[in-house]
Tab-separated table of all heavy atoms in Angstrom:
chain	number	residue	atom	x	y	z
J	312	TYR	N	7.331	5.615	15.400
J	312	TYR	CA	6.283	6.517	14.914
J	312	TYR	C	6.718	7.973	15.037
J	312	TYR	O	6.503	8.773	14.122
J	312	TYR	CB	5.001	6.266	15.706
J	312	TYR	CG	3.826	7.115	15.281
J	312	TYR	CD1	2.941	6.662	14.308
J	312	TYR	CD2	3.586	8.367	15.848
J	312	TYR	CE1	1.843	7.432	13.916
J	312	TYR	CE2	2.510	9.141	15.468
J	312	TYR	CZ	1.642	8.673	14.493
J	312	TYR	OH	0.571	9.438	14.107
J	313	ASP	N	7.334	8.325	16.169
J	313	ASP	CA	7.724	9.715	16.395
J	313	ASP	C	8.651	10.236	15.304
J	313	ASP	O	8.664	11.434	15.005
J	313	ASP	CB	8.433	9.849	17.748
J	313	ASP	CG	7.511	9.568	18.926
J	313	ASP	OD1	6.453	8.940	18.710
J	313	ASP	OD2	7.840	9.976	20.052
J	314	ALA	N	9.458	9.329	14.722
J	314	ALA	CA	10.477	9.749	13.757
J	314	ALA	C	10.036	9.594	12.309
J	314	ALA	O	10.855	9.749	11.397
J	314	ALA	CB	11.764	8.953	13.990
J	315	LEU	N	8.764	9.298	12.044
J	315	LEU	CA	8.319	9.089	10.659
J	315	LEU	C	8.611	10.278	9.740
J	315	LEU	O	8.932	10.076	8.562
J	315	LEU	CB	6.825	8.756	10.622
J	315	LEU	CG	6.417	7.389	11.177
J	315	LEU	CD1	4.948	7.115	10.897
J	315	LEU	CD2	7.281	6.277	10.603
J	316	PRO	N	8.517	11.542	10.223
J	316	PRO	CA	8.855	12.655	9.323
J	316	PRO	C	10.307	12.649	8.857
J	316	PRO	O	10.661	13.393	7.942
J	316	PRO	CB	8.557	13.893	10.183
J	316	PRO	CG	7.497	13.435	11.135
J	316	PRO	CD	7.890	12.022	11.470
J	317	LYS	N	11.158	11.826	9.467
J	317	LYS	CA	12.552	11.734	9.030
J	317	LYS	C	12.749	10.686	7.934
J	317	LYS	O	13.879	10.407	7.531
J	317	LYS	CB	13.459	11.409	10.217
J	317	LYS	CG	13.476	12.506	11.281
J	317	LYS	CD	14.405	12.153	12.428
J	317	LYS	CE	14.411	13.263	13.485
J	317	LYS	NZ	15.316	12.927	14.619
J	318	ALA	N	11.647	10.095	7.460
J	318	ALA	CA	11.747	9.079	6.408
J	318	ALA	C	12.429	9.628	5.164
J	318	ALA	O	13.145	8.898	4.463
J	318	ALA	CB	10.354	8.558	6.056
J	319	ALA	N	12.232	10.910	4.891
J	319	ALA	CA	12.856	11.510	3.705
J	319	ALA	C	14.370	11.409	3.786
J	319	ALA	O	15.050	11.196	2.769
J	319	ALA	CB	12.427	12.971	3.567
J	320	LEU	N	14.934	11.566	4.994
J	320	LEU	CA	16.384	11.461	5.156
J	320	LEU	C	16.860	10.052	4.837
J	320	LEU	O	17.882	9.855	4.172
J	320	LEU	CB	16.780	11.843	6.581
J	320	LEU	CG	16.457	13.284	7.008
J	320	LEU	CD1	16.841	13.500	8.471
J	320	LEU	CD2	17.182	14.291	6.113
J	321	LEU	N	16.103	9.036	5.314
J	321	LEU	CA	16.465	7.646	5.033
J	321	LEU	C	16.407	7.364	3.539
J	321	LEU	O	17.285	6.693	2.981
J	321	LEU	CB	15.526	6.698	5.781
J	321	LEU	CG	15.566	6.740	7.310
J	321	LEU	CD1	14.498	5.814	7.894
J	321	LEU	CD2	16.940	6.336	7.807
J	322	MET	N	15.361	7.884	2.891
J	322	MET	CA	15.197	7.633	1.459
J	322	MET	C	16.309	8.316	0.658
J	322	MET	O	16.813	7.763	-0.321
J	322	MET	CB	13.833	8.136	1.001
J	322	MET	CG	12.648	7.472	1.686
J	322	MET	SD	12.418	5.765	1.189
J	322	MET	CE	11.844	5.983	-0.486
J	323	ARG	N	16.709	9.498	1.094
J	323	ARG	CA	17.771	10.197	0.350
J	323	ARG	C	19.124	9.543	0.585
J	323	ARG	O	19.998	9.610	-0.281
J	323	ARG	CB	17.772	11.682	0.727
J	323	ARG	CG	16.531	12.388	0.176
J	323	ARG	CD	16.555	13.884	0.286
J	323	ARG	NE	15.405	14.447	-0.397
J	323	ARG	CZ	14.340	14.980	0.202
J	323	ARG	NH1	14.293	15.024	1.531
J	323	ARG	NH2	13.331	15.448	-0.497
J	324	ASP	N	19.301	8.905	1.746
J	324	ASP	CA	20.500	8.086	1.945
J	324	ASP	C	20.519	6.940	0.932
J	324	ASP	O	21.580	6.582	0.401
J	324	ASP	CB	20.523	7.516	3.367
J	324	ASP	CG	20.912	8.563	4.396
J	324	ASP	OD1	21.423	9.628	4.003
J	324	ASP	OD2	20.681	8.322	5.604
J	325	GLY	N	19.334	6.376	0.669
J	325	GLY	CA	19.230	5.311	-0.333
J	325	GLY	C	19.586	5.798	-1.722
J	325	GLY	O	20.178	5.061	-2.518
J	326	VAL	N	19.225	7.047	-2.024
J	326	VAL	CA	19.599	7.633	-3.314
J	326	VAL	C	21.119	7.724	-3.425
J	326	VAL	O	21.708	7.392	-4.467
J	326	VAL	CB	18.962	9.027	-3.477
J	326	VAL	CG1	19.493	9.719	-4.735
J	326	VAL	CG2	17.437	8.909	-3.549
J	327	GLN	N	21.770	8.155	-2.330
J	327	GLN	CA	23.236	8.264	-2.338
J	327	GLN	C	23.898	6.905	-2.547
J	327	GLN	O	24.956	6.809	-3.174
J	327	GLN	CB	23.716	8.883	-1.018
J	327	GLN	CG	23.295	10.324	-0.815
J	327	GLN	CD	23.848	11.260	-1.884
J	327	GLN	OE1	25.020	11.155	-2.265
J	327	GLN	NE2	23.024	12.165	-2.381
J	328	ARG	N	23.274	5.845	-2.026
J	328	ARG	CA	23.823	4.498	-2.198
J	328	ARG	C	23.509	3.917	-3.565
J	328	ARG	O	24.007	2.845	-3.917
J	328	ARG	CB	23.270	3.557	-1.120
J	328	ARG	CG	23.716	3.879	0.292
J	328	ARG	CD	23.351	2.728	1.228
J	328	ARG	NE	21.925	2.436	1.194
J	328	ARG	CZ	21.032	2.970	2.012
J	328	ARG	NH1	21.422	3.862	2.928
J	328	ARG	NH2	19.754	2.653	1.931
J	329	GLY	N	22.664	4.589	-4.326
J	329	GLY	CA	22.275	4.077	-5.630
J	329	GLY	C	21.101	3.119	-5.583
J	329	GLY	O	20.831	2.408	-6.561
J	330	ASP	N	20.362	3.101	-4.446
J	330	ASP	CA	19.225	2.192	-4.310
J	330	ASP	C	18.012	2.662	-5.112
J	330	ASP	O	17.240	1.836	-5.601
J	330	ASP	CB	18.815	2.063	-2.833
J	330	ASP	CG	19.892	1.401	-1.997
J	330	ASP	OD1	20.789	0.774	-2.583
J	330	ASP	OD2	19.834	1.525	-0.761
J	331	TYR	N	17.803	3.975	-5.192
J	331	TYR	CA	16.619	4.529	-5.842
J	331	TYR	C	17.024	5.649	-6.798
J	331	TYR	O	18.118	6.199	-6.716
J	331	TYR	CB	15.622	5.118	-4.823
J	331	TYR	CG	15.511	4.391	-3.525
J	331	TYR	CD1	15.827	5.015	-2.321
J	331	TYR	CD2	15.071	3.070	-3.471
J	331	TYR	CE1	15.727	4.361	-1.109
J	331	TYR	CE2	14.961	2.394	-2.272
J	331	TYR	CZ	15.295	3.048	-1.085
J	331	TYR	OH	15.192	2.399	0.102
J	332	HIS	N	16.086	5.991	-7.649
J	332	HIS	CA	16.256	7.120	-8.557
J	332	HIS	C	15.892	8.396	-7.787
J	332	HIS	O	14.793	8.525	-7.277
J	332	HIS	CB	15.350	6.940	-9.777
J	332	HIS	CG	15.693	7.837	-10.918
J	332	HIS	ND1	15.371	9.176	-10.935
J	332	HIS	CD2	16.324	7.602	-12.099
J	332	HIS	CE1	15.772	9.713	-12.065
J	332	HIS	NE2	16.365	8.785	-12.785
Side-chain angles (χ1 to χ4, degrees):
Y312 181 91
D313 294 19
L315 290 188
K317 296 181 180 180
L320 298 177
L321 296 176
M322 299 289 289
R323 290 190 174 107
D324 284 345
V326 173
Q327 294 299 317
R328 293 192 303 268
D330 295 343
Y331 324 119
H332 195 284

